[in-house]
């Protein structure tokens, strides 16, 4: 069957021609950076409880700190580089919520 | 004008491409064709406060530069055909609102440049105009924001994705002139082979390019060797590969004289552009900057320019629709 005969045969043909994303590498990077972001959060949390701040308030402080950090890194054009490297690793933690806020606030 | 074959038109009096102007953004300024562009801008914002304003400024600057270079004043231009990728063609409308030239906003996605050349050439050949302005623009940041994700979201781009060219290309078509001349035009049909991936535009557009290319050969009874170069607009590496393979099975071997503007404009290895360039300005700036100069120097004498477009928008892709493709061809000869 020729590739252009049906949609299905063309899609099969293009799938063969299109390189896949490097999934293993992306997963490893996501694990590394996602873990790192959570570790930073945990360090902040541990420090807060060490200073006698309640667990509930510590959680809020962690959120605020990470959101500030990602907004700051976006402004100086570093977050998109982290995002490119980490993929889902920077998408899953709370830093992503900040990104959505940032975009809706500034509309750029 | 005479219709030959299924959908090709031979102009009675070849229309001269009198002058061109090209202006590009920072990434293109560091690409392999940088020295051919009239102006390279290092600031993506071009001194403006938004990507949309920047894109309008690109097309505005390109047309101002073009009018200054050509020596034809605004009042001697009968029509302007212009378009871009943003909703309701706002870059062209805003960028050209001060030109005082009768304006037609057109949309053919990334095929808009050749669409404007075809309409302009037909208007001149039909004695409706003496001089016609054709201009298009695109901007990486505004296009990503509209069609995919805002850049600040920090997304990963798959290997099949293409990089929208930031910039603008424009030209003035004229009844009289010393060439290069538009001799034949082949407007393309919409072809949809069911590709849904907005990050794989090359695959979505390739069938339309194949259809227009083969139709052009059949209509004109030309074979691929007639042309010194056959250039598609923005199929990228994947689209080029698909086109070469399928065209070969149809009996046309264009391996030796075929290339893609999206491949020429960036250095894939150094610039991280994945499958190549795309956008209205890809074909327009490569033609206005690089190919036009090669034609003038007679390094190339006969070329076939096929601009390809993916006729999608963000709503249809979110609703799971496939991406219809289109490709328009013009034969340009010295």
């Amino acid at each position: 069957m020729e590739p252009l005969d049906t949609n299905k045969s063309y899609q099969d043909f293009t799938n063969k021609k299109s390189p896949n994303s490097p999934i293993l590498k992306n997963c490893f990077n996501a694990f590394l950076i996602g873990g790192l972001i959570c570790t930073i959060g945990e360090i902040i949390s541990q420090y807060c409880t060490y200073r006698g701040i309640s667990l509930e308030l510590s959680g809020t402080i962690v959120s605020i700190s990470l959101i500030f950090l990602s907004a700051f890194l976006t402004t100086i054009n570093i977050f998109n580089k982290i995002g490119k490297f980490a993929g889902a690793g920077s998408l899953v933690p709370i830093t992503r919520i900040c990104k959505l806020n940032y975009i809706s606030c500034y509309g750029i | 004008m005479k219709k030959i074959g299924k959908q090709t038109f031979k102009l009675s009096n070849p229309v001269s491409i009198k002058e061109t102007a090209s202006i590009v953004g920072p990434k293109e300024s560091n690409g392999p064709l940088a020295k051919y562009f009239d102006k390279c801008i290092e600031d993506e914002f071009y001194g403006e406060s938004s990507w949309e304003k920047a894109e309008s400024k690109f097309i505005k600057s390109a047309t101002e530069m073009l009018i200054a270079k050509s020596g034809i004043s605004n009042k001697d231009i009968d029509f302007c055909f212009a378009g871009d990728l943003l909703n309701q063609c706002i870059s062209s409308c805003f960028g050209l609102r001060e030109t005082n030239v009768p304006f037609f906003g057109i949309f053919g996605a990334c095929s808009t440049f050749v669409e404007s050349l075809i309409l302009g050439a037909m208007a001149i050949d039909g004695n409706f105009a003496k001089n016609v302005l054709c201009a298009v623009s695109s901007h990486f940041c505004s296009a990503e924001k509209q069609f995919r994700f805002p850049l600040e979201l920090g997304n990963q781009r798959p290997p099949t994705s293409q990089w929208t060219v930031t910039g603008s290309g424009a030209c003035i078509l004229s009844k009289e002139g010393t060439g290069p001349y538009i001799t034949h035009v082949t407007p393309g049909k919409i072809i949809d082979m069911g590709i849904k991936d907005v990050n794989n535009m090359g695959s979505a557009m390739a069938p339309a390019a194949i259809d227009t290319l083969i139709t052009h050969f059949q209509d004109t009874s030309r074979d691929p060797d007639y042309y010194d170069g056959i250039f598609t607009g923005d199929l990228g590496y994947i689209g080029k590969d698909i086109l070469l393979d399928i065209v070969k099975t149809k009996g046309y071997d264009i391996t030796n004289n075929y290339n893609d503007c999206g491949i020429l404009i960036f250095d894939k290895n150094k610039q991280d552009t994945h499958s190549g360039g795309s956008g209205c300005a890809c074909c327009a700036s490569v033609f206005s900057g690089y190919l036009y100069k090669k034609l003038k120097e007679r390094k190339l004498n006969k070329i076939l320019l096929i601009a390809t477009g993916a006729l999608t928008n963000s709503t249809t892709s979110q609703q799971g629709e496939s991406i219809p493709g289109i490709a328009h061809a013009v034969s340009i000869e010295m």
Side-chain angles (χ1 to χ4, degrees), chain B residues 178-196:
Chain B
T178 52
Y181 300 96
I182 297 177
T183 57
H184 293 73
V185 301
T186 309
K189 295 179 296 202
I190 299 172
I191 293 189
D192 188 342
M193 292 301 287
I195 300 291
K196 291 185 176 176

Side-chain angles (χ1 to χ4, degrees), chain A residues 42-59 61:
Chain A
E42 189 56 32
I43 291 170
I44 298 168
S45 171
Q46 291 288 335
Y47 180 74
C48 290
T49 41
Y50 167 72
R51 295 292 299 262
I53 297 167
S54 74
L55 202 62
E56 199 182 339
L57 192 57
S58 300
I61 292 172

Side-chain angles (χ1 to χ4, degrees), chain B residues 83 205 275 278 318:
Chain B
M205 300 186 291
S275 187
S278 70
Q318 280 160 15

Side-chain angles (χ1 to χ4, degrees), chain B residues 195-216:
Chain B
I195 300 291
K196 291 185 176 176
D197 184 0
V198 287
N199 282 311
N200 194 351
M201 295 292 198
S203 296
M205 300 186 291
I210 293 163
D211 184 78
T212 303
L213 180 70
I214 291 175
T215 309
H216 179 83

Side-chain angles (χ1 to χ4, degrees), chain A residues 10-11 17-18 84 99 108, chain B residues 152 156 194 200 203 245 272:
Chain A
Y10 182 66
Q11 282 154 24
K17 293 277 181 191
S18 311
K84 182 179 159 50
K99 308 303 297 175
I108 55 173
Chain B
E152 290 79 8
Q156 268 176 339
N200 194 351
S203 296
D245 270 17
D272 192 33

Side-chain angles (χ1 to χ4, degrees), chain A residues 59-101:
Chain A
T60 313
I61 292 172
V62 169
S63 306
I64 293 169
S65 312
L66 289 180
I67 287 172
F68 169 78
L69 199 64
S70 64
F72 180 70
L73 292 175
T74 303
T75 315
I76 56 172
N77 226 358
I78 288 180
F79 192 91
N80 50 359
K81 293 186 180 101
I82 299 173
K84 182 179 159 50
F85 178 79
S90 61
L91 188 147
V92 177
I94 196 162
T95 43
R96 185 64 158 210
I97 295 168
C98 146
K99 308 303 297 175
L100 294 169
N101 282 335

